[in-house]
Amino acid sequence: MEIVLAIGIGIFTTSGVWLLLRPRTYQVIIGLALLSYAVNLFIFAMAGGGLRVDAPPILPPGGIGDPAAIADPIPQALVLTAIVIGFAMTALFLVVLLAARGRTGTDHVDGREPER
């Protein structure tokens, strides 16, 4: 399972970098989103992911949990916060993209269409 996750992170990263290098603004925004997804997956994977199947998700009443069997909630909270911030950043960039397209008439990164 780790190799599938590593390949997925690699695909997100390479696709994001490739889209960042494109000349259109919309492609740059999608590239930033893919890079943020790759970083979130990487943080989640390095923290253990909280994907424990051998421990119950809830402690019994009055029971004391084994710290080694409980997933660390801090990386999960950080990734959740990063996802929310990433959505807000993408929405803001899309609004700026639409305003710039309306003002310049193009969605090229430098505001000018290449001469053909």
Side-chain angles (χ1 to χ4, degrees), residues 27-96:
Q27 294 168 342
V28 170
I29 292 171
I30 298 300
L32 282 172
L34 285 177
L35 274 178
S36 69
Y37 296 155
V39 169
N40 290 339
L41 278 175
F42 179 73
I43 292 171
F44 197 65
M46 291 300 104
L51 302 174
R52 300 196 58 109
V53 295
D54 57 345
I58 300 175
L59 295 176
I64 297 176
D66 180 21
I70 299 174
D72 187 14
I74 298 297
Q76 295 175 6
L78 290 175
V79 168
L80 183 61
T81 305
I83 289 169
V84 172
I85 291 171
F87 282 145
M89 178 191 69
T90 303
L92 175 69
F93 283 162
L94 285 174
V95 169
V96 171

